[in-house]
Amino acid sequence: MSPSKKHAIFISSLIILWYSSNIGVLLLNKLLLSNYGFRFPIFLTMCHMTACAVLSYISIVFMKVVPLQSVKSRSQFLKIATLSIVFCGSVVGGNISLRFLPVSFNQAVGATTPFFTALFAYLMTFKREAWVTYGALVPVVLGCVIASGGEPGFHLYGFIMCISATAARAFKSVLQGILLSSEGEKLNSMNLLLYMSPIAVIVLLPAALVMEPNVIEVTLSLGKQHKFMWLLLLVNSTMAYSANLSNFLVTKHTSALTLQVLGNAKGAVAVVISILLFRNPVTFVGIAGYTMTVSGVVAYGEAKRRFR
């Protein structure tokens, strides 16, 4: 087999892993939180972060996936801790929204991330884009509004949590660029995950025990009722790490632009699979709104590339 074919197979395998991990963790989150009666999004996020902490350590220290980068100062550690708390908020908010919203609508709202990223980048760094770039964000927001109006399973609290999670995700990406901007403090995404995950577990454990006081009792009870409960939780947590690892590897071996294009398609694939799996009702208005949002995201990415 020629080197070019081997490289193509390798890249294809990475993309398949990235798609399956991202879509898999999303669908399993919905399955656990809605269909299994496991109504503990904070504890579920803690399980994800625990898996990320353990598997990040194994991948970096033992498997040498990337060189280990050390935390060089107390200031850098505090910055990482801040990012970790914001990241926790985004993941917990997203998981809470899945209790009340179908995956398809969750993805439609999540597709508005570029709007919040551009907003926070302007407010926090005064970074301005070309007017064409901002114009591309209009269908992003308008599509989300249309999708909301056409969603049969619309739930206000779930929608608020989903929007909050989307905004927190964008805020984290902008904050990361600000806090870890100096050459001496930059960490690649895998090392950042290695240090963020344990901090997230320390934050989420007491939060889960206080806000979800019967989580241990109910989880053990559900584990007895459903024989695959523990396996689903383990696979789900492992997929959460796999999604981060594959994201890093796809970016490393292709480009950020390729990842962005694949990400737009991934959302559409996740929507189709979730509708087939969970059979949640959809309307033409909802589909039209989601399509408009994704089209706006694609236009925004292209405008940023051209007018950079």
Side-chain angles (χ1 to χ4, degrees), residues 219-292:
T219 302
L220 291 174
S221 176
L222 288 171
K224 292 177 182 178
Q225 294 175 34
H226 308 285
K227 58 181 179 179
F228 295 115
M229 172 73 183
W230 295 110
L231 179 62
L232 281 175
L233 202 54
L234 177 63
V235 171
N236 188 21
S237 300
T238 305
M239 276 188 169
Y241 172 72
S242 179
N244 285 283
L245 175 63
S246 56
N247 186 297
F248 170 78
L249 292 174
V250 170
T251 307
K252 180 182 178 181
H253 291 283
T254 56
S255 67
L257 179 61
T258 301
L259 189 77
Q260 185 181 30
V261 173
L262 291 171
N264 294 334
K266 175 181 65 68
V269 173
V271 167
V272 172
I273 293 175
S274 70
I275 291 171
L276 293 174
L277 186 64
F278 297 108
R279 301 188 181 280
N280 56 283
V282 291
T283 63
F284 175 78
V285 174
I287 294 172
Y290 177 69
T291 303
M292 182 181 290

Side-chain angles (χ1 to χ4, degrees), residues 81-273:
T82 302
L83 288 172
S84 180
I85 292 169
V86 174
F87 182 63
C88 282
S90 69
V91 178
V92 170
N95 286 340
I96 290 174
S97 73
L98 283 172
R99 278 191 57 193
F100 305 98
L101 300 176
V103 173
S104 53
F105 185 56
N106 176 279
Q107 289 295 285
V109 177
T112 61
T113 301
F115 167 77
F116 290 103
T117 304
L119 177 64
F120 288 129
Y122 177 76
L123 293 175
M124 296 167 67
T125 67
F126 301 104
K127 179 183 176 182
R128 293 186 179 183
E129 305 284 355
W131 68 269
V132 177
T133 307
Y134 287 123
L137 290 172
V138 174
V140 172
V141 178
L142 188 59
C144 182
V145 173
I146 292 171
S148 301
E151 174 54 50
F154 182 84
H155 189 284
L156 182 59
Y157 177 67
F159 176 73
I160 291 171
M161 294 309 299
C162 196
I163 281 285
S164 301
T166 303
R169 196 181 310 123
F171 180 65
K172 183 255 177 187
S173 66
V174 175
L175 195 62
Q176 182 177 329
I178 297 171
L179 295 182
L180 302 177
S181 58
S182 66
E183 287 300 321
E185 292 186 337
K186 278 185 179 177
L187 296 173
N188 63 52
S189 60
M190 296 313 300
N191 274 275
L192 184 59
L193 185 66
L194 172 68
Y195 294 116
M196 281 173 54
S197 301
I199 297 171
V201 173
I202 293 170
V203 171
L204 290 168
L205 179 58
L209 293 176
V210 171
M211 300 176 72
E212 301 169 343
N214 60 339
V215 59
I216 303 298
E217 179 186 345
V218 175
T219 302
L220 291 174
S221 176
L222 288 171
K224 292 177 182 178
Q225 294 175 34
H226 308 285
K227 58 181 179 179
F228 295 115
M229 172 73 183
W230 295 110
L231 179 62
L232 281 175
L233 202 54
L234 177 63
V235 171
N236 188 21
S237 300
T238 305
M239 276 188 169
Y241 172 72
S242 179
N244 285 283
L245 175 63
S246 56
N247 186 297
F248 170 78
L249 292 174
V250 170
T251 307
K252 180 182 178 181
H253 291 283
T254 56
S255 67
L257 179 61
T258 301
L259 189 77
Q260 185 181 30
V261 173
L262 291 171
N264 294 334
K266 175 181 65 68
V269 173
V271 167
V272 172
I273 293 175

